[in-house]
Amino acid sequence: MKRLSLLLLIYFVFLFKVILSEDKEIIGPTPSATLLLEYTNRFRMNPKAEAQIIMTFLKNYRGKNIEYLAMWNGTAKGGGLIRTFRPRIDFKIFKEEVEKIPSSQPLVFNLQLIQSANSHSKYMQSNDIQTHSEIKNKKHFSGISPFHRTRIAKYPGRFVGENAFLHGKNPWYCHLGFLIDWGPGPGGMQPGRGHRVNLARSIFKEIGIGTIKYKWRRFDEISTTQNFGIVSVKDRFVGGVIYNDKNKNNFYDIGEGVGDVSIMASDGSTCKSWASGAFTLKLKSAKGMTITATYLEIKKETKISSGNNNIKLDWIVPSKERILYLSEKLNVLEKEPTSKDLLTNLYIASRSGLILKEESNNKIKSHIKEIKITLEPIFLELHQLIKKQELKSLNLLLLKIKRKFIKSDFVFIGKEINLLKSSIKRFLDLENRVLKTSNARSLQRLRLQSKKTLKKIHKIKQTLFYKEFLPHWDNLIKEIKSLPF
């Protein structure tokens, strides 16, 4: 593995004349860049909590992944040999240092800074060099210094900072690299911890992140640049992510972003979310106001207080399919108000929450009022039988539901519950065999079997449409993990 070196350059620049190159296309942030900013803002807003997240991660993964193990130990493979190129990271020092960092305002994306960051990431990748200084005759030259590159991209700020990482593995790995700031200094970290200083510097308000995916030897890597900046301390932004939380971890992940969501402030400022789900709204004043986000039929209003610091607002939205499904069922029901199957389907959908505008939600409540009396006890019984793991009774109830509601969405719920039932059956069989086995070799085989079962369950969870029964899947996972091997 190539020697990993993270470089820092912060420029304090006074206005002077620079030659601007031809205009380049300005694009929005990639999902990888958006995820990296989410990590960055999580750290800026609560450094102590981020230190703990990293410590927990490394405790769980440093021995299981060769890249993280190498990062921990300061080693690299070259010429068939393992060589040490810096001291091992002292994470006790790291944790103590990070916990002392004060919280700071969140950053928002700036298109000009994204352009300059993308250009430099492309330069590093094309020339296989990690640097802050570009050479004019080199491929994809975009400006001699960070200041030149941001000026060429027409960013008006005079104070910028840059972090650069050529051989990143993924956004999380890049975040660890910049925040831990590993290098040949005290504690296995860079002298001065310059990348960490950039991440934590409270005066910065805007950021551009360029992530270029590429193949290095046979590895998938990303060339990453972060450009930080500020135009005026009086500028105030609202930023964050709009996303559909598919894995239910209450945090943005690649593939979850929702674009084209309208965001408007009561001072008249407007913007739309990019395809990655990120957005930046520049406010016209420091006064308190209301921020309204609109996605299809649903809205979210948030009141913010007065001040000059940036505000972070995130919005977890239902899937587009679910919103359209509810709207469609409601429209059909308006024409066929007595349809039992339609009423059943609408009630089932409403159990995950009423997500349309208030007028539509009230109509749904009115329509399902009577059918709710019939269906609610059925759902209650399903949950009780699953919790008690009474599989025979559960099977009989599912057959009864299938006969009675054969043309409704209960059929699809039954299929997902059958998957859960089969997984519970595998767990009970596994538990029984573990309790009866004392042979070490047999226990090892059962342990491997439990890992395969867990892997299969996690895959099933990703495909589930009805989220109401997810807590039962989570409890099953806990039970399998707690088996006494």
Side-chain angles (χ1 to χ4, degrees), residues 54-207:
I54 290 175
M55 295 298 291
T56 301
F57 171 81
L58 293 172
K59 179 182 178 182
N60 293 333
Y61 287 93
R62 67 185 173 95
K64 301 175 183 178
N65 185 298
I66 190 169
E67 299 294 351
Y68 294 109
L69 183 61
M71 174 269 289
W72 178 287
N73 290 326
T75 58
K77 187 179 288 186
L81 301 173
I82 300 294
R83 59 189 177 85
T84 302
F85 60 88
R86 61 161 170 76
R88 182 176 179 175
I89 298 169
D90 188 328
F91 278 99
K92 182 179 179 182
I93 294 175
F94 163 76
K95 186 171 182 288
E96 289 173 353
E97 290 177 351
V98 172
E99 287 181 343
K100 293 176 183 177
I101 297 173
S103 60
S104 53
Q105 63 182 322
L107 301 171
V108 298
F109 277 118
N110 174 278
L111 288 175
Q112 286 76 28
L113 290 177
I114 290 173
Q115 179 179 316
S116 65
N118 274 335
S119 298
H120 187 58
S121 291
K122 186 65 178 175
Y123 175 89
M124 291 196 299
Q125 180 263 317
S126 299
N127 296 286
D128 194 23
I129 183 171
Q130 184 167 280
T131 182
H132 291 286
S133 301
E134 296 186 12
I135 300 172
K136 283 187 177 181
N137 295 328
K138 292 282 187 178
K139 192 176 180 181
H140 294 295
F141 170 77
S142 61
I144 296 172
S145 68
F147 176 72
H148 282 84
R149 291 189 288 275
T150 56
R151 291 294 284 172
I152 287 169
K154 297 186 178 179
Y155 182 68
R158 303 177 190 179
F159 178 45
V160 298
E162 182 174 277
N163 287 344
F165 193 176
L166 175 58
H167 293 291
K169 314 302 175 186
N170 51 56
W172 176 242
Y173 191 86
C174 292
H175 178 62
L176 292 178
F178 292 139
L179 183 52
I180 296 172
D181 215 356
W182 58 70
M189 293 171 277
Q190 296 265 3
R193 321 301 198 230
H195 299 88
R196 193 188 303 161
V197 170
N198 256 353
L199 290 177
R201 198 176 289 274
S202 60
I203 193 171
F204 287 136
K205 286 180 173 285
E206 298 175 284
I207 191 172

Side-chain angles (χ1 to χ4, degrees), residues 293-300 315 317-318 323 355-357:
T294 306
Y295 178 53
L296 299 175
E297 277 199 39
I298 59 177
K299 289 185 178 182
K300 179 183 180 180
W315 186 20
V317 298
I323 295 171
I355 58 174
L356 304 181
K357 57 187 178 182

